[in-house]
Amino acid sequence: MPRLALSDDFVADLISLQRPVQKEVNDAIQMFRSMTVPQLHASKGMHLEKLERAHDRRIRTIRITKFYRGVLLAPDDGSDLFTLLRVAPHDEAINWACKRVYSVNGATGGLEVRNVEALEQMETYFESKADTTPARLFEKHSDTVLRDLGVDDQVLRLARVCVTADDLAVMAPPMMPADQYEVLEYLAAGYSPQDVWEQLIASRGQTVRTAQDRPEVTLSEAILNTSDRIVEVTGPGELERILTEDFTRWRIFLHPAQRRWAYHPGFHGPAQITGGPGTGKTVVALHRVRHLLRTGRADDRILLTTFTNAMAASLRDSLALLLGEADAHLLDRVDVTTVDALAARVLREARGSSPKPLSAAAEKSAWTRAVAREELPWTERFLSQEFRNVVLAQGLRSPEEYLRCVRRGRGTQVGRVQRARLWRVMERFTADLASRDCATYTQLCDQAARVLSSGVPRYRHVVVDEAQDLHPAQWRVLRACAAAGADDMFLVGDPHQRIYDSRVSLRSLGIDVRGRASRLRLNYRSTEEILRWSASLLDGRSVGRLGEDDEDDGGLDSLRGYRSQLHGRVPVVRGYAGQDEELRALVEQIRTWVDQDGVKPSDVAVCARFNTLVDAVIARLRREGVPAVAVKDGPGPHVSGVRVATMHAMKGLEFRCVAVAGVTASVLPFAPQVTPADVDPVQHQSDLLAEHCLLFVACTRARDALTVSWSGERSRLLDAAVC
């Protein structure tokens, strides 16, 4: 009986197919596994075919339907292990297969693939370009060094004609073999060969340093060595699990860069992963929790935290799924919650009760009462920001501390006399809230951090998702939860998705990730078309690195090198005369996705800036016979219906198809959320960046299809992407 393995590209193809075609694929795989190898070659139904034009003589195709073909890599080493590489329409599958060559990486021993025709064209192009430039990108690294790191002859020739990092980026996977590209990418970024060896090669289990001393690896061995991109089907149950997991296929596949950090044997302090949307940061965090659970002591407790209750619920479900039945008992050692919920629990346990959280409207009223006896030139919004971003951010406890502090991130000058008056207003504000047994969420965290700092750490490890939006007071809570030491904190986030104004210096809070930080660059969720279009919404604005906003030497973050190997339709961007027309078009678009493309309603999402339009969308969809549910109501994965949410509630979620509605000039940017430039120019730019990031977050929730619409005047935040 032939053995069968599935590549990550095949699984991605399968998930994107309509359900009837998925069933045909499943049936074909079952038939394949039921035959002997001779029967397989003789079967007219499977039609196992060798391609005459293929560069790789081991490439075969099989019939799935009249219109779809599966692409296989046949064994040439005496084994019976076949690998399903792709499933696609007939002509697309044949064209793809003819251009690909599979090989064994000389360093990792894993299977890799390249577009050999495209690389040959690149070699010709860059040779002529490099002839006029004496300096080369990898000139300080010898051929021997590169070969020891797994670079083969063709890629070595290409490396020798690269002049800049941009030259290398043009040949990014799927053109160049992924492992070899990553080696060159690290070297181009300034990493030493020793660093590359330790991080990319030794971490995969290789112990032989020189290429000439390594034993030859067979094709079947290479396939089994590539668990980050290929999984062998070991039985009917395994096949069914793989074919039905949809977005949870990350349980099977981890990219080497992800696996290296998720299963690192031990960090000597806090570690941090950043990356753009869809790069698998949350996946890494979940796998890190599993690793810590499996390797830690039975009494080690772990805190897994994120920004919203919906995201915490999703993390809890995903962790349970990842652990499976065998490790289900380990869940008892993990608390999955938000920082705010944790802070409230800490206060209840310490004092018997926790102040009631204050709504935005109630907070504004409290500031109005507090400032009533002072003639100050600032609004309630300015006072709230000063209290949150200066006093609570720095944990200031007295007027003297406030007078001496540096007000980082605030562009309005405030003298000593004005600070004294501001402090009196803030004292009245806090006293007023205390008398009503209320507090802002940030105050709750500030109070909880003080309680925690005076006690024994509650956790051995703290793992933080969506780290970019946490306030310094929330970071103080987390820092107090675990004693400083090896593997104490593991952080993941993306500064480009920061939609709340939270400037922070992690180093000043005792969270120093220097030497233990990395950035993920490969998007596994969205197509390149969605990715590029969404990135243009940021309009080239500068974004500070995670946790370095309030540091004098803090650098800028960048989406440079951020890419996707998936391709699909270009986002559809369209305006309408009125909201009724926009909603009518929205209903038709969703029907197309569900009825024609075979997308499950729960894999479709609609988002808008405010709940008023969210409610209108839900009502319209239901009236038109389209099932719809609000994300804020917490529908489980088995509840059918289009998901509808505000843009803020879309954080951390992902869907096959997303419609972003109501992107009008009056709501993006939303004037009440943007400080006027003449009041505070620094805060104005920060607020405006948050508006851009909010739209960026909403659009990057889409994997296969994205539509953006408005009625009336279009938001100017779309200008860079539309024009």
Side-chain angles (χ1 to χ4, degrees):
M1 301 280 280
R3 296 155 60 202
L4 185 64
L6 309 179
S7 76
D8 55 349
D9 286 333
F10 169 80
V11 175
D13 286 343
L14 180 62
I15 292 170
S16 67
L17 296 176
Q18 296 182 18
R19 283 191 289 269
V21 182
Q22 288 180 346
K23 183 180 183 303
E24 296 282 359
V25 174
N26 197 352
D27 291 343
I29 291 175
Q30 299 288 9
M31 180 186 297
F32 184 99
R33 297 186 71 250
S34 69
M35 297 179 177
T36 64
V37 174
Q39 287 173 335
L40 177 63
H41 285 281
S43 172
K44 293 183 178 180
M46 294 303 300
H47 194 61
L48 184 66
E49 182 180 21
K50 185 175 181 179
L51 300 177
E52 294 300 325
R53 295 185 295 110
H55 285 273
D56 192 326
R57 309 312 296 172
R58 299 162 300 180
I59 293 283
R60 305 286 188 272
T61 63
I62 58 172
R63 179 186 291 120
I64 301 297
T65 71
K66 182 178 179 180
F67 300 104
Y68 279 84
R69 302 289 290 183
V71 181
L72 280 164
L73 185 65
D76 65 349
D77 57 357
S79 74
D80 56 0
L81 180 57
F82 291 77
T83 304
L84 261 173
L85 307 172
R86 293 288 308 275
V87 56
H90 182 280
D91 290 349
E92 179 185 338
I94 301 298
N95 182 56
W96 182 92
C98 287
K99 296 178 180 179
R100 264 61 187 182
V101 168
Y102 282 80
S103 57
V104 179
N105 185 282
T108 66
L111 189 69
E112 55 188 14
V113 61
R114 74 195 70 202
N115 184 332
V116 67
E117 289 189 5
L119 288 180
E120 288 171 350
Q121 295 171 4
M122 288 294 104
E123 188 174 350
T124 301
Y125 169 75
F126 282 117
E127 277 180 346
S128 59
K129 176 184 176 183
D131 285 342
T132 62
T133 308
R136 306 293 173 86
L137 184 59
F138 301 105
E139 60 187 5
K140 68 177 182 179
H141 303 297
S142 69
D143 288 0
T144 300
V145 166
L146 295 180
R147 290 186 192 281
D148 287 345
L149 295 175
V151 176
D152 63 26
D153 290 345
Q154 183 182 37
V155 176
L156 180 60
R157 293 195 301 271
L158 288 162
R160 290 302 177 212
V161 294
C162 284
V163 175
T164 68
D166 288 337
D167 294 344
L168 178 64
V170 170
M171 298 179 284
M175 187 183 298
M176 185 179 285
D179 289 348
Q180 296 188 54
Y181 179 84
E182 193 170 28
V183 163
L184 295 178
E185 188 179 38
Y186 269 59
L187 292 173
Y191 287 82
S192 70
Q194 179 64 27
D195 291 334
V196 176
W197 166 262
E198 291 176 354
Q199 295 194 41
L200 302 185
I201 312 300
S203 63
R204 299 279 293 275
Q206 181 59 264
T207 58
V208 182
R209 187 62 189 265
T210 58
Q212 64 185 17
D213 295 330
R214 294 174 191 142
E216 184 177 348
V217 177
T218 67
L219 178 62
S220 58
E221 288 172 338
I223 291 170
L224 298 177
N225 286 342
T226 317
S227 58
D228 54 295
R229 290 190 287 271
I230 301 175
V231 60
E232 183 179 3
V233 178
T234 56
E238 177 77 359
L239 176 65
E240 186 65 23
R241 180 178 70 83
I242 292 169
L243 296 183
T244 58
E245 278 188 342
D246 206 353
F247 280 128
T248 57
R249 69 191 181 97
W250 51 262
R251 289 181 63 198
I252 310 164
F253 302 114
L254 277 180
H255 187 269
Q258 295 174 318
R259 181 171 293 276
R260 184 171 64 253
W261 288 83
Y263 292 97
H264 191 285
F267 296 104
H268 300 297
Q272 175 180 286
I273 297 291
T274 58
T279 52
K281 300 179 297 298
T282 300
V283 172
V284 174
L286 288 166
H287 278 269
R288 188 64 185 168
V289 171
R290 180 168 75 167
H291 172 72
L292 295 171
L293 286 170
R294 287 178 168 178
T295 59
R297 299 192 307 266
D299 58 347
D300 285 347
R301 293 200 59 76
I302 299 176
L303 172 65
L304 173 59
T305 187
T306 187
F307 199 76
T308 68
N309 290 327
M311 293 164 66
S314 177
L315 281 180
R316 193 178 298 109
D317 292 341
S318 296
L319 182 59
L321 192 64
L322 176 61
L323 292 175
E325 292 183 9
D327 289 331
H329 63 284
L330 298 178
L331 274 173
D332 294 337
R333 290 167 45 199
V334 186
D335 287 339
V336 187
T337 186
T338 66
V339 185
D340 291 341
L342 173 63
R345 191 175 81 211
V346 167
L347 293 179
R348 283 195 301 271
E349 293 173 356
R351 304 172 181 175
S353 65
S354 173
K356 295 186 294 291
L358 205 63
S359 68
E363 182 183 355
K364 182 178 180 181
S365 298
W367 282 114
T368 301
R369 293 192 298 271
V371 79
R373 284 175 272 171
E374 298 278 353
E375 292 185 6
L376 294 175
W378 298 300
T379 64
E380 291 88 348
R381 178 174 171 79
F382 175 90
L383 296 170
S384 176
Q385 289 174 333
E386 184 77 7
F387 183 59
R388 183 180 188 274
N389 297 343
V390 178
V391 175
L392 292 178
Q394 299 185 35
L396 305 179
R397 304 283 180 246
S398 68
E400 292 76 22
E401 290 180 336
Y402 181 53
L403 288 173
R404 291 193 304 266
C405 79
V406 177
R407 300 168 58 253
R408 294 185 185 276
R410 305 290 282 161
T412 303
Q413 296 298 316
V414 179
R416 291 181 61 83
V417 173
Q418 291 173 314
R419 289 199 193 193
R421 297 175 66 191
L422 280 171
W423 186 264
R424 287 197 299 271
V425 172
M426 288 186 279
E427 282 186 324
R428 285 201 292 271
F429 173 79
T430 56
D432 181 24
L433 296 192
S435 69
R436 301 167 188 267
D437 193 27
C438 294
T440 66
Y441 282 104
T442 313
Q443 279 182 292
L444 293 177
C445 290
D446 181 60
Q447 296 171 23
R450 280 185 275 169
V451 171
L452 287 168
S453 63
S454 62
V456 177
R458 295 182 169 217
Y459 300 95
R460 173 65 184 85
H461 310 285
V462 173
V463 178
V464 185
D465 188 31
E466 297 290 338
Q468 71 275 357
D469 277 316
L470 295 182
H471 184 273
Q474 294 173 308
W475 281 114
R476 291 197 294 273
V477 169
L478 298 176
R479 177 65 281 181
C481 278
D487 285 320
D488 53 347
M489 302 186 77
F490 189 85
L491 325 175
V492 301
D494 177 17
H496 294 87
Q497 298 185 66
R498 183 187 292 128
I499 60 178
Y500 296 97
D501 183 26
S502 295
R503 299 174 61 88
V504 63
S505 165
L506 290 180
R507 225 184 303 172
S508 70
L509 298 173
I511 306 173
D512 191 350
V513 300
R514 286 176 295 183
R516 296 180 297 275
S518 183
R519 180 167 185 82
L520 302 175
R521 297 178 177 87
L522 186 59
N523 181 296
Y524 302 91
R525 177 172 65 217
S526 304
T527 64
E528 180 72 9
E529 290 75 14
I530 291 174
L531 187 62
R532 290 289 139 235
W533 188 89
S534 300
S536 69
L537 297 172
L538 296 176
D539 199 20
R541 292 177 177 270
S542 298
V543 177
R545 288 181 189 157
L546 180 63
E548 297 184 12
D549 304 278
D550 271 1
E551 295 177 4
D552 293 330
D553 59 347
L556 296 177
D557 199 85
S558 172
L559 290 175
R560 182 184 178 88
Y562 180 44
R563 66 190 187 279
S564 173
Q565 295 182 11
L566 306 174
H567 288 278
R569 290 168 282 186
V570 174
V572 175
V573 186
R574 190 171 299 155
Y576 299 90
Q579 188 178 97
D580 184 71
E581 183 182 349
E582 181 183 5
L583 293 182
R584 184 164 58 249
L586 175 65
V587 172
E588 291 307 311
Q589 177 62 76
I590 292 173
R591 282 179 172 155
T592 298
W593 285 334
V594 173
D595 297 336
Q596 296 183 22
D597 297 344
V599 180
K600 293 185 295 186
S602 59
D603 284 340
V604 176
V606 181
C607 67
R609 178 66 188 264
F610 297 118
N611 277 313
T612 49
L613 184 52
V614 166
D615 294 341
V617 168
I618 293 174
R620 183 62 171 262
L621 290 175
R622 289 174 176 173
R623 190 165 70 245
E624 298 288 346
V626 179
V629 293
V631 169
K632 65 182 178 182
D633 292 336
H638 302 297
V639 176
S640 180
V642 173
R643 271 44 178 173
V644 191
T646 63
M647 293 180 181
H648 286 86
M650 292 286 279
K651 269 177 69 75
L653 305 179
E654 56 185 66
F655 302 89
R656 284 189 62 183
C657 305
V658 172
V660 183
V663 188
T664 65
S666 60
V667 301
L668 279 165
F670 187 52
Q673 293 295 319
V674 180
T675 303
D678 58 347
V679 173
D680 189 326
V682 175
Q683 188 66 51
H684 172 79
Q685 290 300 324
S686 180
D687 293 343
L688 204 53
L689 176 61
E691 296 287 295
H692 280 271
C693 290
L694 179 62
L695 186 56
F696 175 68
V697 167
C699 293
T700 53
R701 303 307 93 194
R703 193 189 84 189
D704 299 331
L706 170 67
T707 68
V708 178
S709 64
W710 65 90
S711 56
E713 185 181 354
R714 184 186 75 205
S715 166
R716 61 186 171 93
L717 302 192
L718 289 173
D719 289 351
V722 174
C723 297

